[in-house]
Amino acid sequence: HFDVCVSGHDNGPMFEEQPSSLIYPEGLTEGKVTLNCQARASPAASYRWLVNGTDVPLGLDPRYTLVAGNLVISSPESVRDSGSYQCLAINRCGAIISRAANLKFGYLRDFSPDSRSPQTAYEGMGAFLACQPPPHYPALSYRWLINDFPNFIKKNDGRWFVSQVTGNLYVAKAEPNDTGNYFCFTTINMDISTKSTFSKANQLTVLPDAIPRKSAPSIKVRFPAETYALAGHTAQLECFAYGNPVPNVRWRKVDGLMPSKAGSSAECPTLILPDLSFDDEGVYECETYNSEGRDTYQGRINVQAQPEWLQVMNDSEVEISSELHWSCVAAGKPRPSIRWLRNGQPLTRLKIINLALEDSGMYQCVAENKHGTIYSTAELRAPDFRLNPVRKLIPAARGGQVMIECRPRAAPKPSLFWSRGTELLTNSSRITVTPDGILWIHNISRADEGKYTCFAENYLGKANSTGHLSVRDATKITLAPSNADINQGENVTLQCHASHDPTMDLTFTWALNGVLLDLEDSSRMYHRVEGVSLVVSENIGDLLIANTKLSQAGIYTCTAQTVVDSASASAKLVVRGPPGPPGGLLVKNVAETSVELRWSRGYDNHSPIGKYIIMGRSSLSSEWKKMRTDPENIEGNAESARVMGLMPWMDYEFQVIASNILGSGEPSMPSHTIRTQQAAPTVAPSGLGGGGGDRGELIVTWTPMAREYQNGDGFGYILAFRKKGTSSWIVVRIPHVESSRYVYFNASLTPYCPFEVKIKAYNRRGEGPFSQIAVAYSAEEEVNFYSTHSTDKVAADRVRTAGLETTARVSGLRPSTRYYIAVLAYNNAGTGPPSPRTTVTTRKPPPNRPPVNVSWNAEGSQVTVRWDHVKAMHNESAVLGYKVLYKHEGQTALKVLDKAKSSVTLPLPKDNGYIVLEIRSWGEGGDGPAHEIIVSRDKGKKKTHQSFVCLDKCIICV
């Protein structure tokens, strides 16, 4: 029953979501199918579902549940649930029915298990293998395997063709190496899953032919003589021929131009025409050709279309009449039929004579052909103003204009007219009544005050609504804002005063360049300055801008507004500041130690640019530095400069900064990274020295050149050395940048012989200067001494014991270094023969960092001290623990406590005396530097400092 619909308050259903057709995989018995249906309605709609025109047994069969308006089918089955589903949305104003959604079930059976007959073909001849696909729904896609998975036939091999209509595999010209086992591979794609299967082997044997026979093309795969396709969809035509040589394919449209949408497919066995239109309809020809001849085939594409609305019914556009005439026009091919529904039920005829209230309800027009069905919906009801009455009080400003709307809910469209009292209003110089019922009154005066009534009528009924027009004084700007010119960071107040009708509230708004400002924003960029002036009925709505930014420049508009009218005034604010960033920074003319920069001027922000500076950074550092330039001082009108003093073969990027009397602006975007040109080295390696080694060796060492001094690739070292006192140099090239030593061997070298050495660097651009000459000694030999006093240099690698001691301490050694050791006995007559030589490698040094983040906490008579673990670097010995040395105030001796943990708890003196602690790491390489801390019970007197002085007891023994 639909006769209780409250006009003006209720709304009949309108679909927001309708069900869509779905293909569901057979066998997913634990799954669910959801068919969607949602309608907008007041009161809210209830829902029913139909399957093949019969009610779905909601509430009777637990497999069917309703979620909102959606139908959920649990454990769907093909036999029970296949069909056409429609949703009915119903409330007391009427009912509407959705489009039909087809639920179908997809499946792909297995191929027949029977073996397939072997096939034979002759070299140079054509052949095909039948797929014989298993039962399936919907359509399949086809591929073919050769011998093993995933060895698929390649799509771009013009000799082969796989028909997507039959699944058969064709070869235009067989070759002996085509012999093998072939498998048809089929795939089915459904909405929620995909399945594939493949056939038994198709054995193909190609018999060789000494002279393969050539043949003209013969078309074996043909598209239908009549192909029907839907507009907006894709058509695919297949054409493939046998022949030797392999035939080429080309397509043409016999009765017009080939559509450009065919693209490259116009020369392929499958012609693809996407997004079909009626212009694509016509006869198409496939031509196959080779050097032996040609073959052609023709067929027609017929384009059809689903229904599409050209004109839909509309409940707000039906003209008044004693009869109802709704237009409902649809296009389609074949031409759609039209039928009508009222509240979801078929109408035998639409024509309704002598419309009455009982004819109210929901009407639907249905257009359908074999390709689809579409629905249009409208509502029929008497006029009613309860949902949207005329405003009860309509204030208006004297001298202004007012618009009064009349928008009752009604269908068919009602006739509308206005009256003032008993006077019917018609168009005049001051009054306009628009066709859609809007009343305009211009140049309003006090005499226009009064009641205005809108009347609405259609053949289902009449209604009216009244409002009262009240005329008020106009709003005026009495003090407009003035133009201002300030520097960035200064404050400015823009004034705005206005008068208005005292019976209404007045509000001020401000806009910048037409965009309304949020004066309540928490950033407090803008501040209101409000109040009442001494002038009667004048209000103040000034705007204070504090700490002005460049972005706040522009046109400010003050608007004084009441509910009936508004008045506005504008002023321009100029904010001067440092220049904006230069743009378009380019690097040109890159040389070895200089580049040229070019840029374009940025905004001067109303203060002339005075100068530019150029900043740069290399790949060696992330820090920007001011660069040396030519000219040294870059004037504000310049747009280029040369950067000097760069390192050759180094990566750089640059920025340009403009400045004026108000300061420096933001830098430009960094330039792209460039690398300067290569140049020969300009400095020599440092740290040249050497010595040590085995007998017959001269070892020369130096410090490898840092990246900034290499100046180019192909880098290496040239080392020259000679015995002191001789004139000729031995020169060697060492082509590795990381090299730091060179060993020269000559069995005839005199032990501990002085050599003069010098070194220089080279790269692909040339050689650098030699270093200063240094002296290095060849390896020392175990020699006999004839007295206990030897030269300093010889003694440097000797430790002598006094008496018959069998131990000795050797100090001053390098950490993490391999040493050779021999022991010789000596007396006044000299030294004896050396013992067999042994090797010792000194330990890695301890970490050179003290513990950090040392903290302490005193509780009662104890104090707990904590610190972070010290992590050893790769060239340092591992940390095995920590030595905590401490003493109380007044004590002289330090107590030592070894700890493996990074915390310690110690007794705290009762007399607030201090505890002095040193905390250092220790390991195989010895003790690290100390962190010293002075602790007291009073936290306010905490003192902490670090000590980097090693104890004099640190000894490395070998």
Side-chain angles (χ1 to χ4, degrees), residues 531-834:
V532 178
S533 171
L534 296 176
V535 179
V536 177
S537 298
E538 183 178 273
N539 284 42
I540 298 173
D542 297 350
L543 180 68
L544 168 63
I545 310 174
N547 192 20
T548 311
K549 299 178 176 57
L550 289 170
S551 60
Q552 293 175 294
I555 304 297
Y556 283 82
T557 301
C558 166
T559 300
Q561 188 163 7
T562 67
V563 294
V564 299
D565 70 339
S566 64
S568 299
S570 299
K572 183 178 183 181
L573 176 64
V574 174
V575 181
R576 303 181 186 274
L585 180 59
L586 295 175
V587 185
K588 302 282 188 180
N589 301 327
V590 178
E592 297 170 352
T593 59
S594 65
V595 298
E596 183 182 346
L597 296 188
R598 297 179 186 173
W599 62 88
S600 57
R601 294 168 58 86
Y603 293 112
D604 65 8
N605 290 329
H606 308 290
S607 180
I609 297 173
K611 66 175 182 178
Y612 292 96
I613 63 168
I614 294 176
M615 308 293 288
R617 63 181 176 187
S618 72
S619 55
L620 302 175
S621 171
S622 60
E623 182 181 352
W624 291 95
K625 296 180 181 179
K626 184 179 179 182
M627 308 304 289
R628 185 159 59 87
T629 60
D630 180 20
E632 184 176 353
N633 296 312
I634 307 171
E635 300 293 335
N637 59 356
E639 292 188 344
S640 66
R642 192 151 197 89
V643 181
M644 315 295 290
L646 303 178
M647 291 179 282
W649 198 55
M650 184 60 65
D651 293 337
Y652 285 96
E653 55 182 340
F654 303 95
Q655 289 179 335
V656 180
I657 300 174
S659 62
N660 59 20
I661 59 173
L662 297 175
S664 295
E666 291 292 319
S668 68
M669 291 288 290
S671 69
H672 64 276
T673 302
I674 60 94
R675 176 169 290 185
T676 49
Q677 297 291 322
Q678 299 187 32
T682 56
V683 297
S686 61
L688 185 62
D694 289 339
R695 179 175 180 176
E697 291 180 346
L698 170 66
I699 298 178
V700 182
T701 59
W702 63 91
T703 303
M705 291 280 273
R707 171 66 177 80
E708 56 262 41
Y709 302 119
Q710 293 172 19
N711 288 8
D713 56 5
F715 185 87
Y717 304 95
I718 297 176
L719 178 66
F721 53 93
R722 66 185 179 188
K723 285 184 181 180
K724 198 166 185 177
T726 63
S727 58
S728 62
W729 295 89
I730 300 173
V731 178
V732 293
R733 294 174 73 89
I734 302 145
H736 302 292
V737 64
E738 67 277 5
S739 297
S740 62
R741 69 197 300 263
Y742 176 76
V743 180
Y744 170 71
F745 177 78
N746 187 331
S748 63
L749 274 182
T750 306
Y752 206 66
C753 176
F755 277 78
E756 292 180 321
V757 294
K758 60 182 180 179
I759 193 170
K760 63 181 175 180
Y762 73 88
N763 60 26
R764 69 172 61 253
R765 292 294 299 273
E767 300 175 1
F770 267 119
S771 66
Q772 295 288 324
I773 292 176
V775 175
Y777 290 83
S778 61
E780 195 173 353
E781 187 181 28
E782 294 83 4
V783 296
N784 295 328
F785 296 102
Y786 301 104
S787 76
T788 59
H789 303 289
S790 60
T791 64
D792 289 341
K793 191 63 183 179
V794 173
D797 293 325
R798 293 287 188 273
V799 173
R800 292 177 183 264
T801 65
L804 297 177
E805 302 230 0
T806 58
T807 62
R809 180 179 297 277
V810 181
S811 59
L813 304 181
R814 294 180 182 178
S816 192
T817 303
R818 188 179 186 188
Y819 285 89
Y820 300 97
I821 299 175
V823 179
L824 300 83
Y826 74 93
N827 58 21
N828 288 338
T831 57

